[in-house]
């Protein structure tokens, strides 16, 4: 290890880790969590006017690191930063600029959930949303299933057309554009919702037998992309953190309040990452993966970026920070 912490910039972090590799890194972190060698910290936030200070974090005892990701959301933007510490002596090991890495984490988490839960023969993705994270979500699906078609929904025709063209050019799949959610999800094997909608856009009546749903866009209790009926129709529900879902998953909270969800049936991703349901035996099951974004995932990706940077001689060495002893 170098004498001081390593600073890894935004572009370097993105270049050091592919989305496909990120999915495998997250799978490893959840395996450690399942074995008691990793843990996630509940999200904390503090509002000051229009600004919101956020902090998430986690420990990877199996890798000897702990870390936090912190950022302040403002109307003018945000600059997330991951700080990685040694669990042996508390040293700061690295600091990683994490805006792009955060988008990769969101997409890779959906990819992992889909790898575990979707049917092996899934070929058609319904992508609901055309925002900044939509492309990465589609790309993640191609990492875990041999997609042939994407059915794209977006309210803005120009943004929808631009994303459709990018998907065709980059992912080499057939892309159709749809002005309604109902049209987009018809015949889909996988549905990924990545919108900023406050009210549900995906109703339970639109879910076909055997479909897998990723609900990714709504990460605060006041927002929902799925209605209670959609949650109630799911035969298997998996979340990236059960504790955080109880706090922040608006769709699941509303379904529980409506009496169509028993929290005891909701499973954490760590519990199923190596216990993939045999979807060939239950081809009509509807599966739901609710991702909120947890600190363990950020720390796992940050730690992998740090390891690769050290191996490649990348990053900028910072002055040694003295370790304080009580």
């Amino acid at each position: 290890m170098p004498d001081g912490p390593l600073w890894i910039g935004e572009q370097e972090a993105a270049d050091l880790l592919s989305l496909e590799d990120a999915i495998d890194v997250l799978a490893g972190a959840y395996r450690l969590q399942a074995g008691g060698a990793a843990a996630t910290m509940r999200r904390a936030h503090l509002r000051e006017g229009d600004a919101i200070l956020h902090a998430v974090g986690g420990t990877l005892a199996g890798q000897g690191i702990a870390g936090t990701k912190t950022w302040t959301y403002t109307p003018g933007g945000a600059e997330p930063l991951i700080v990685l510490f040694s669990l042996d002596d508390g040293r700061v090991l690295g600091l990683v600029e994490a805006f792009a890495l955060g988008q990769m984490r969101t997409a890779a988490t959906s990819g992992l959930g889909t790898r575990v839960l979707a049917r092996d023969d899934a070929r058609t993705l319904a992508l609901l949303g055309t925002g900044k994270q939509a492309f990465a979500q589609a790309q993640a699906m191609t990492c875990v299933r041999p997609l042939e078609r994407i059915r794209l929904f977006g309210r803005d025709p120009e943004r929808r057309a631009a994303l459709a063209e990018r998907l065709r050019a980059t992912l080499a799949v057939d892309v159709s554009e749809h002005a309604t959610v109902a049209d987009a999800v018809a015949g889909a094997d996988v549905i990924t919702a990545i919108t900023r909608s406050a009210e549900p856009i995906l109703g339970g009546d639109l879910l076909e037998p055997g479909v897998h749903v990723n609900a990714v866009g709504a990460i605060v209790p006041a927002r929902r992309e799925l209605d209670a009926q959609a949650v109630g129709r799911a035969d298997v529900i998996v979340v990236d953190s059960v504790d955080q879902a109880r706090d922040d998953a608006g769709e699941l909270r509303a379904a529980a309040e409506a009496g169509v969800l028993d929290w005891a049936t909701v499973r954490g991703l760590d519990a199923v990452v190596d216990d993939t349901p045999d979807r060939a035996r239950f081809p009509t099951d509807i599966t739901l993966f609710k991702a909120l974004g947890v600190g363990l995932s950020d720390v796992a990706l940050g730690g992998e970026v740090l390891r690769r940077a050290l191996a490649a001689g990348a990053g900028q060495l910072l002055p040694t920070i003295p370790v304080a002893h009580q």
Side-chain angles (χ1 to χ4, degrees), residues 109-132:
T109 303
S110 297
L112 180 57
T114 302
R115 187 166 80 181
V116 170
L117 294 170
R119 298 195 322 265
D120 288 341
D121 63 353
R123 297 292 186 272
T124 301
L125 166 69
L127 181 60
L128 311 182
T130 58
K132 294 180 179 179

Side-chain angles (χ1 to χ4, degrees), residues 66-90:
T68 60
K69 184 175 83 170
T70 186
W71 71 101
T72 299
Y73 167 82
T74 72
E79 293 187 349
L81 184 67
I82 297 173
V83 184
L84 299 165
F85 302 91
S86 166
L87 282 174
D88 294 328
D89 56 16

Side-chain angles (χ1 to χ4, degrees), residues 159-174:
R159 291 178 60 178
R160 189 174 67 226
L163 178 57
E165 182 57 33
R166 184 184 179 193
L167 291 168
R168 292 186 193 101
T170 309
L171 302 183
V173 296
D174 177 69

Side-chain angles (χ1 to χ4, degrees), residues 13-240:
D15 291 343
L16 284 165
L17 190 64
S18 71
L19 181 53
E20 189 169 8
D21 287 346
I23 295 171
D24 289 334
V25 170
L26 294 189
Y30 283 104
R31 289 188 189 101
L32 289 175
Q33 185 178 24
T40 197
M41 183 177 80
R42 298 276 279 274
R43 179 182 300 165
H45 53 82
L46 178 65
R47 179 182 291 273
E48 180 60 43
D50 292 333
I52 307 174
L53 172 65
H54 294 265
V56 298
T59 58
L60 286 155
Q63 298 176 6
I65 62 172
T68 60
K69 184 175 83 170
T70 186
W71 71 101
T72 299
Y73 167 82
T74 72
E79 293 187 349
L81 184 67
I82 297 173
V83 184
L84 299 165
F85 302 91
S86 166
L87 282 174
D88 294 328
D89 56 16
R91 286 182 302 123
V92 178
L93 301 175
L95 300 97
V96 184
E97 295 182 8
F99 187 85
L101 203 62
Q103 291 189 326
M104 182 181 289
R105 180 263 294 155
T106 302
T109 303
S110 297
L112 180 57
T114 302
R115 187 166 80 181
V116 170
L117 294 170
R119 298 195 322 265
D120 288 341
D121 63 353
R123 297 292 186 272
T124 301
L125 166 69
L127 181 60
L128 311 182
T130 58
K132 294 180 179 179
Q133 298 200 49
F135 177 82
Q137 289 289 324
Q139 186 180 21
M141 298 304 104
T142 67
C143 291
V144 297
R145 291 294 183 272
L147 287 189
E148 297 173 355
R149 294 168 296 276
I150 296 177
R151 301 174 63 84
L152 176 63
F153 162 77
R155 292 191 175 94
D156 186 314
E158 292 186 2
R159 291 178 60 178
R160 189 174 67 226
L163 178 57
E165 182 57 33
R166 184 184 179 193
L167 291 168
R168 292 186 193 101
T170 309
L171 302 183
V173 296
D174 177 69
V175 182
S176 58
E177 299 178 47
H178 302 273
T180 68
V181 170
D183 286 344
V185 302
D189 304 311
V190 177
I191 301 170
T192 294
I194 181 71
T195 73
R196 294 182 60 81
S197 180
E199 298 298 326
I201 61 170
L202 182 61
D205 59 322
L206 299 179
L207 300 184
E208 299 178 5
V211 72
H212 169 66
V213 180
N214 296 306
V216 188
I219 60 172
V220 294
R223 294 185 178 274
R224 294 187 293 153
E225 295 179 298
L226 280 62
D227 68 8
Q229 182 188 2
V231 176
R233 289 197 60 201
D235 298 286
V236 178
I237 299 177
V238 174
V239 297
D240 48 2

